[in-house]
């Protein structure tokens, strides 16, 4: 019952603005983007966000604040005189959002429900703001499968816990699937921006998306574990044999909702460990901090390249 969209269905408007596939929204007096602390009447969303081209998302508020500062430096963006970077969604007490010219840097929390809520509101934000051809990029962390900690991984296909290339939704008590498709061309372009001088590998592969960090990712070190180490290794090796190179918790919902909205998207994560060697995330804090900058560096190269072409 997985329903594929025809090219026509996923098309944006010909002017590149995001088409909302929900006719209820335009009939409403105001659309409140509750978890962003924004509204379509309380704020001039087109004035505030109309120039956005890149929506970068990652799990934690701090990482996304760091990314905002990093990208500001990297693209040489100057904030309007007398202003400072500020968390636009601070009063939601849910997500954080920073804007640096054409770049939005937004935290999405952990796991599908948190990302799903944010994606609905970000896609509506793009619609209200009349953004032209926005690109969504998730900058995350993951567990590697057969790849060392510090490796940068670009997702080519996002798979759910049953290795299906789709995301399962329960809507009005019914189960439906939407394809978890990412933009293959964008993935290849990102890979081409890896430099042979980078002191780490940047690879493309399949990503497994789970609903849990512990039992759901075959860890032996959760509060519960009812399988053996042998069972775990058999599972991880099966993943590897299917081309899965990493495991995280957001890629299928991120891919499914961007694809459904006709928005180009990519997922780039850094591995915090090689799951074939263990379960605990135990690299030193400073090391992990440096690793988490690696996907940001790649995305900054991409943003700089696109901006220089315009
Ligand atoms: C990666 O890291 C988080 C779990 O530690 C989760 O959000 C993910 O996908
Ligand atoms: N994030 C995950 O979801 N899994 C890991 O193993 C590490 C980070």
């Amino acid at each position: 019952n997985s329903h594929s969209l025809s090219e026509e269905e996923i098309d944006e408007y010909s002017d590149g603005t995001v088409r909302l596939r929900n006719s209820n929204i335009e009939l409403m007096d105001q659309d409140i983007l509750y978890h962003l602390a924004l509204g379509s009447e309380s704020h001039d969303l087109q004035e505030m966000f109309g120039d956005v081209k890149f929506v970068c998302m990652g799990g934690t508020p701090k990482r996304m604040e760091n990314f905002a500062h990093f990208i500001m430096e990297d693209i040489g963006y100057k904030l309007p005189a007398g202003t400072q970077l500020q968390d636009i969604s601070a009063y939601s007490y849910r997500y954080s959002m920073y804007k640096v010219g054409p770049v939005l840097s937004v935290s999405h929390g952990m796991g599908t429900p948190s990302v799903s809520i944010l994606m609905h509101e970000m896609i509506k934000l793009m619609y209200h703001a009349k953004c032209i051809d926005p690109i969504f990029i998730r900058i995350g962390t993951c567990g590697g499968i057969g790849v060392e900690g510090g490796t940068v991984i670009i997702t080519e296909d996002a798979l759910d816990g049953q290795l299906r290339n789709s995301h399962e939704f329960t809507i009005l008590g019914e189960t439906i699937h939407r394809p978890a498709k990412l933009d293959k061309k964008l993935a290849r372009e990102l890979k081409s921006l890896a430099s042979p001088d980078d002191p780490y590998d940047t690879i493309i592969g399949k990503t497994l998306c789970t609903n849990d960090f512990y039992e759901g990712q075959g860890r032996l070190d959760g509060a519960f574990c009812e399988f053996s180490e042998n069972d775990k290794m058999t599972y991880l090796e099966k993943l590897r044999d299917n081309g899965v190179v990493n495991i995280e918790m957001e890629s299928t919902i991120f891919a499914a909702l961007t694809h459904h909205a006709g928005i180009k998207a990519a997922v780039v994560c850094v591995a915090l460990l090689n799951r074939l060697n263990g379960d605990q995330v135990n690299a030193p804090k400073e090391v992990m901090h440096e690793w988490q900058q690696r996907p940001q560096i790649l995305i900054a190269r991409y943003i700089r390249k696109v901006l220089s072409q315009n």
Side-chain angles (χ1 to χ4, degrees), residues 1-32:
N1 57 350
S2 122
H3 167 71
S4 279
L5 301 173
S6 67
E7 283 308 310
E8 199 175 16
E9 275 180 296
I10 63 170
D11 245 351
E12 307 165 316
Y13 285 126
S14 54
D15 64 358
T17 57
V18 174
R19 184 177 73 161
L20 251 205
R21 305 180 68 175
N22 178 6
S23 56
N24 297 319
I25 302 296
E26 57 193 344
L27 302 175
M28 295 170 13
D29 293 335
Q30 161 153 245
D31 183 19
I32 293 176

Side-chain angles (χ1 to χ4, degrees), residues 201-245:
D201 290 332
T202 299
I203 65 170
I204 291 200
K206 292 182 186 161
T207 297
L208 182 81
C209 180
T210 68
N211 281 328
D212 172 51
F213 182 82
Y214 289 101
E215 293 172 284
Q217 295 187 6
R219 279 187 157 80
L220 301 167
D221 62 346
F224 311 101
C225 181
E226 290 157 11
F227 48 81
S228 69
E229 172 157 25
N230 212 7
D231 297 337
K232 164 193 156 178
M233 292 313 292
T234 303
Y235 177 66
L236 293 183
E237 280 156 16
K238 174 181 152 195
L239 293 179
R240 185 190 54 195
D241 296 344
N242 278 279
V244 174
V245 290

Side-chain angles (χ1 to χ4, degrees), residues 6-308:
S6 67
E7 283 308 310
E8 199 175 16
E9 275 180 296
I10 63 170
D11 245 351
E12 307 165 316
Y13 285 126
S14 54
D15 64 358
T17 57
V18 174
R19 184 177 73 161
L20 251 205
R21 305 180 68 175
N22 178 6
S23 56
N24 297 319
I25 302 296
E26 57 193 344
L27 302 175
M28 295 170 13
D29 293 335
Q30 161 153 245
D31 183 19
I32 293 176
L33 307 176
Y34 168 57
H35 306 84
L36 297 176
L38 293 168
S40 63
E41 293 304 307
S42 53
H43 297 80
D44 185 341
L45 296 177
Q46 192 171 355
E47 159 74 23
M48 288 174 76
F49 298 102
D51 61 340
V52 168
K53 287 266 173 219
F54 310 94
V55 176
C56 302
M57 300 184 192
T60 75
K62 195 71 206 172
R63 182 162 10 102
M64 299 324 286
E65 182 184 352
N66 287 343
F67 179 69
H69 284 282
F70 173 63
I71 200 73
M72 182 154 68
E73 175 79 26
D74 198 79
I75 64 177
Y77 183 81
K78 299 270 183 296
L79 291 169
T83 66
Q84 281 195 327
L85 256 192
Q86 50 167 327
D87 178 357
I88 298 167
S89 297
Y91 290 104
S92 74
Y93 302 102
R94 295 289 184 185
Y95 304 105
S96 288
M97 173 157 62
Y98 298 88
K99 183 172 184 299
V100 177
V103 182
L104 274 187
S105 184
V106 195
S107 70
H108 62 49
M110 283 190 286
T112 292
S114 182
V115 172
S116 177
I117 295 167
L118 181 70
M119 297 294 289
H120 275 272
E121 295 184 10
M122 290 308 297
I123 291 167
K124 293 197 294 175
L125 179 60
M126 296 299 102
Y127 160 78
H128 290 302
K130 301 192 163 45
C131 297
I132 311 285
D133 291 327
I135 290 174
F136 281 34
I137 302 170
R138 165 166 143 71
I139 303 172
T141 61
C142 64
I145 307 224
V147 303
E148 293 316 305
T151 304
V152 175
I153 298 161
I154 302 163
T155 300
E156 73 175 356
D157 277 318
L159 308 180
D160 76 358
Q162 296 178 50
L163 299 186
R164 297 172 296 194
N165 184 205
S166 63
H167 187 87
E168 183 177 295
F169 298 78
T170 303
I171 301 173
L172 302 184
E174 302 285 336
T175 298
I176 65 150
H177 282 256
R178 290 183 183 146
K181 279 201 192 146
L182 293 161
D183 193 285
K184 293 244 153 94
K185 195 160 150 261
L186 177 57
R188 281 195 300 271
E189 185 172 1
L190 291 172
K191 166 87 170 105
S192 78
L193 293 172
S195 159
D197 296 335
D198 293 336
Y200 47 86
D201 290 332
T202 299
I203 65 170
I204 291 200
K206 292 182 186 161
T207 297
L208 182 81
C209 180
T210 68
N211 281 328
D212 172 51
F213 182 82
Y214 289 101
E215 293 172 284
Q217 295 187 6
R219 279 187 157 80
L220 301 167
D221 62 346
F224 311 101
C225 181
E226 290 157 11
F227 48 81
S228 69
E229 172 157 25
N230 212 7
D231 297 337
K232 164 193 156 178
M233 292 313 292
T234 303
Y235 177 66
L236 293 183
E237 280 156 16
K238 174 181 152 195
L239 293 179
R240 185 190 54 195
D241 296 344
N242 278 279
V244 174
V245 290
N246 63 339
I247 312 181
E248 45 79 278
M249 298 178 57
E250 292 86 13
S251 56
T252 58
I253 185 73
F254 183 79
L257 293 186
T258 48
H259 181 65
H260 205 52
I263 292 174
K264 265 211 273 188
V267 176
V268 182
C269 295
V270 69
L272 299 183
L273 75 171
N274 179 357
R275 286 298 314 290
L276 298 182
N277 297 338
D279 295 336
Q280 294 255 303
V281 177
N282 55 15
K285 253 209 315 283
E286 309 72 51
V287 171
M288 286 217 284
H289 182 77
E290 191 268 314
W291 287 353
Q292 289 182 40
Q293 290 173 336
R294 295 175 177 181
Q296 303 185 14
I297 292 169
L298 190 71
I299 298 313
R301 285 177 194 156
Y302 173 72
I303 290 175
R304 225 184 309 137
K305 179 178 165 200
V306 173
L307 292 178
S308 73

